[in-house]
Amino acid sequence: MIKQIFTDVHIQALLKNACTGKFEIKDQYLVAQLAYVPLSLIEHNQLKVHHIINAHGHAYKKWLLPGSYSRNGKGREIEVPEVFCQSLERYLDWYVEQDLPAEFRHNLNTYRGLSEQAPALLNDRLSAYSMSERIVKSGINKQPTNLRTKVNKLLARAGLDWATAKTFEDSLIIHLAKNVDHGVVADLFGFSSRQVVTDKYNGNLLQLSDALNGVYARIQATGH
């Protein structure tokens, strides 16, 4: 079965129909970060503002994700498109005007007055999304349950009940894998093997018969 992934129409539906009201700018930024930044949901949850802007408060187009937050324990370079940088700067203008926890600020004229503790993503209480914990054989497993719940609510508002928070990551992988070497995409996402990307990409290819039936599918055959 072909994996359904996000298209431009889906992202526009999220931005326009799901992100409304008091937290419109915040929620639109959340969608942008999930759609354009090659991170797992846990990495999205742990990302800090200081990782993605310079000391002057401007968005980086390339930045280093610390190994302490990376899925494979190794720092990796992240590159983002200009449209994401524009969304981030609009969000930061809004961010610094909010009633934030004291630990998210400092009194220096750098990083827009935001401290190293300031999370990239704010929840609706203007704090960081907390991680839920459960005990497993290897120790304590942490999951971004609260962030996942928030994303699912936005998806439902946009009428995208078929999607999950994971669909953002899968969609970005598949879109990139159309034009970028799968090994490069694997490194970008911190996967141990290019096969992870290839499997996702191949899982989204049509069977030959389905592809043939789709050629000029919108042209109706007519009799004489």
Side-chain angles (χ1 to χ4, degrees):
M1 179 180 294
I2 297 175
K3 183 189 297 290
Q4 191 164 359
I5 61 173
F6 290 135
T7 65
D8 291 350
V9 172
H10 297 134
I11 300 301
Q12 284 298 322
L14 279 163
L15 294 173
K16 292 183 178 181
N17 302 332
C19 304
T20 59
K22 178 180 179 181
F23 294 126
E24 177 182 357
I25 293 175
K26 177 178 72 65
D27 291 346
Q28 286 180 340
Y29 173 73
L30 169 58
V31 171
Q33 185 175 309
L34 293 173
Y36 293 114
V37 183
L39 304 176
S40 68
L41 196 64
I42 291 177
E43 292 169 341
H44 281 295
N45 201 135
Q46 296 179 314
L47 192 66
K48 306 296 185 184
V49 168
H50 272 227
H51 297 146
I52 54 181
I53 66 173
N54 63 26
H56 300 291
H58 299 305
Y60 285 125
K61 290 187 177 180
K62 287 185 179 181
W63 41 273
L64 184 68
L65 180 72
S68 57
Y69 297 133
S70 178
R71 79 197 321 154
N72 62 3
K74 300 177 181 178
R76 64 183 198 268
E77 187 177 71
I78 303 295
E79 183 172 356
V80 294
E82 179 62 28
V83 65
F84 169 76
C85 294
Q86 293 171 359
S87 177
L88 173 57
E89 299 217 358
R90 178 171 177 256
Y91 170 59
L92 289 172
D93 289 342
W94 174 90
Y95 193 125
V96 297
E97 296 298 323
Q98 305 310 304
D99 184 18
L100 301 171
E103 62 266 26
F104 292 175
R105 296 190 186 276
H106 60 54
N107 58 6
L108 304 176
N109 190 30
T110 57
Y111 295 98
R112 300 199 184 210
L114 297 172
S115 75
E116 293 182 356
Q117 302 305 313
L121 298 177
L122 290 172
N123 63 25
D124 291 350
R125 296 183 301 279
L126 301 180
S127 186
Y129 284 96
S130 60
M131 301 274 280
S132 60
E133 297 183 353
R134 62 173 180 166
I135 298 176
V136 296
K137 290 182 178 179
S138 58
I140 297 177
N141 176 266
K142 293 185 177 182
Q143 290 295 321
T145 305
N146 292 334
L147 177 57
R148 186 179 291 114
T149 298
K150 172 65 177 183
V151 175
N152 287 341
K153 287 180 179 178
L154 293 177
L155 292 169
R157 284 185 206 164
L160 303 174
D161 294 327
W162 53 268
T164 68
K166 188 71 164 57
T167 307
F168 285 97
E169 181 181 4
D170 288 341
S171 297
L172 184 54
I173 290 170
I174 291 168
H175 285 309
L176 291 176
K178 293 176 183 177
N179 300 302
V180 181
D181 180 84
H182 291 188
V184 173
V185 178
D187 289 341
L188 185 64
F189 279 86
F191 294 130
S192 60
S193 169
R194 65 182 290 138
Q195 193 62 43
V196 177
V197 174
T198 299
D199 289 346
K200 288 180 183 291
Y201 181 70
N202 287 344
N204 221 52
L205 295 177
L206 292 169
Q207 295 296 317
L208 177 60
S209 58
D210 293 327
L212 288 171
N213 287 331
V215 175
Y216 304 125
R218 289 174 292 180
I219 305 301
Q220 299 297 313
T222 58
H224 296 283

